[in-house]
Amino acid sequence: MKLGFRAHDFGKFNTASELARCASSYLESPCLHFAPSKVFRDAALPLTEKWCENITEDLSLCNVKIAVLGVYINPMHPDAEIRESQLSAFENGLEVAHCMGNPVVATETGSLDARNIRCEENFTEKNFSIFLKNIERLLKKAEKNNAVMCLEAVADKNTVDTPEKMLRVMETFNSPYLGVLFDAVNILPVSSVTDFHDYYNSALDMLAKYIKVMHIKDFVMVPSSKEYPFASGEVKNGAIPAGEGLMDWKTLFKLYHRYGLDNVPMTLENFNPATLSESIKYVREAFENAQKP
């Protein structure tokens, strides 16, 4: 199991050596979802090759590798100037990925609301067509730099909000430089589902061959959420450490095993460092039990 962490859940660091020592104290040879400006107080912006090489070297001293370079952008931002700046930031990530051990460069798929929350225009064909043009631009940069970019779907919120729509994106480009970051909690509808097995079996049947990395976390149902003010009834709060919510991870890991995803890097998100050891134990046991006949 290629297990690791979303680095900024630990907090901010002054140096890569501090981050490396912290991550490796929980796991031997962990991989990271690494968003520089969220991890370091003085991250280089834009990212430079020299800075990235130094970071990667310092992490490697503790056998820590970067699996995902997280470039948090809204590729559909309604302000053209801001949108251009963010698309350029993602292109910068693609340009330097080779200096960090060739991690995938990942982002969510954005919203026409500047706050990056749901608005109904997100789900129109017109918006989807514009989104595809933006991805085509980024993909050209990925191909030029021999880098792989990944997209993450967020249900009931972003431009790509369902497995079906993500499949449309993948099939539109059919490129080895484009893949999926699969977050089982984020792709789950905000009202949850009645059958985890059927929902995720269908999603993975569509997307498994495109999945390059995965997130691991959990969710609970709450009466309301600022993220989903439109929703009626209980809604998903997807910011829970793995093993502390309602997600049936044993079923999910069985499906990951069935679809040949055992060796895909998986990073823990929304964890609490104080209970991280328990989260790791839970995830490992669920993963190992899922592989048994």
Side-chain angles (χ1 to χ4, degrees):
M1 188 181 194
K2 295 180 180 177
L3 189 61
F5 313 108
R6 187 172 67 175
H8 60 268
D9 284 80
F10 289 115
K12 285 206 170 186
F13 297 87
N14 292 313
T15 68
S17 296
E18 290 178 358
L19 168 60
R21 288 193 296 270
C22 177
S24 62
S25 70
Y26 291 95
L27 275 176
E28 184 178 349
S29 303
C31 60
L32 297 180
H33 183 122
F34 176 71
S37 62
K38 290 179 176 287
V39 176
F40 295 121
R41 296 181 176 89
D42 60 349
L45 290 175
L47 298 173
T48 65
E49 291 189 355
K50 184 62 176 176
W51 188 86
C52 292
E53 289 169 354
N54 290 340
I55 293 296
T56 306
E57 181 178 355
D58 287 347
L59 292 175
S60 70
L61 295 177
C62 292
N63 295 316
V64 179
K65 295 183 179 180
I66 299 171
V68 185
L69 176 58
V71 183
Y72 290 82
I73 67 168
N74 180 354
M76 303 305 295
H77 198 288
D79 185 300
E81 185 175 343
I82 295 174
R83 182 174 65 251
E84 175 60 32
S85 174
Q86 295 196 7
L87 290 170
S88 295
F90 196 88
E91 290 175 324
N92 172 229
L94 293 167
E95 290 169 345
V96 300
H98 71 281
C99 300
M100 308 181 90
N102 293 314
V104 301
V105 185
T107 183
E108 295 176 358
T109 61
S111 172
L112 290 172
D113 189 300
R115 297 166 292 177
N116 196 27
I117 63 173
R118 178 189 175 108
C119 66
E120 296 310 309
E121 290 80 4
N122 286 344
F123 312 120
T124 64
E125 282 298 312
K126 178 181 178 181
N127 185 53
F128 188 71
S129 295
I130 296 171
F131 171 78
L132 291 178
K133 291 180 180 178
N134 290 338
I135 296 306
E136 182 178 21
R137 164 185 166 173
L138 297 179
L139 189 53
K140 287 180 179 178
K141 178 67 73 170
E143 292 169 347
K144 181 179 179 181
N145 289 275
N146 197 31
V148 176
M149 58 179 286
C150 280
L151 302 174
E152 178 182 354
V154 181
D156 301 303
K157 174 184 173 183
N158 285 159
T159 299
V160 178
D161 67 322
T162 65
E164 292 81 4
K165 199 170 287 185
M166 183 63 83
L167 179 62
R168 284 182 64 189
V169 178
M170 295 298 116
E171 292 184 336
T172 295
F173 297 105
N174 190 29
S175 170
Y177 297 95
L178 179 65
V180 172
L181 190 162
F182 191 79
D183 187 316
V185 171
N186 281 0
I187 206 169
L188 182 72
V190 295
S191 57
S192 190
V193 295
T194 56
D195 191 314
F196 286 112
H197 181 278
D198 285 354
Y199 178 78
Y200 288 109
N201 186 56
S202 175
L204 292 168
D205 188 57
M206 286 184 265
L207 300 176
K209 69 179 182 179
Y210 303 107
I211 294 173
K212 307 296 184 184
V213 290
M214 292 187 280
H215 287 162
I216 300 178
K217 58 188 177 188
D218 219 316
F219 76 97
V220 294
M221 302 302 292
V222 295
S224 62
S225 169
K226 292 181 179 179
E227 288 191 45
Y228 301 103
F230 61 88
S232 59
E234 288 192 325
V235 295
K236 173 186 70 178
N237 172 3
I240 307 299
E244 298 182 20
L246 301 173
M247 182 61 78
D248 183 356
W249 273 107
K250 184 176 179 180
T251 290
L252 268 172
F253 284 138
K254 280 185 176 294
L255 288 168
Y256 290 174
H257 182 60
R258 175 189 297 176
Y259 284 96
L261 298 170
D262 287 347
N263 293 319
V264 172
M266 305 179 192
T267 57
L268 291 157
E269 276 198 336
N270 296 109
F271 58 81
N272 179 352
T275 59
L276 180 53
S277 295
E278 288 84 355
S279 296
I280 293 170
K281 180 181 178 182
Y282 166 81
V283 167
R284 279 179 157 170
E285 288 179 352
F287 182 82
E288 290 168 3
N289 288 334
Q291 292 182 311
K292 296 177 181 178

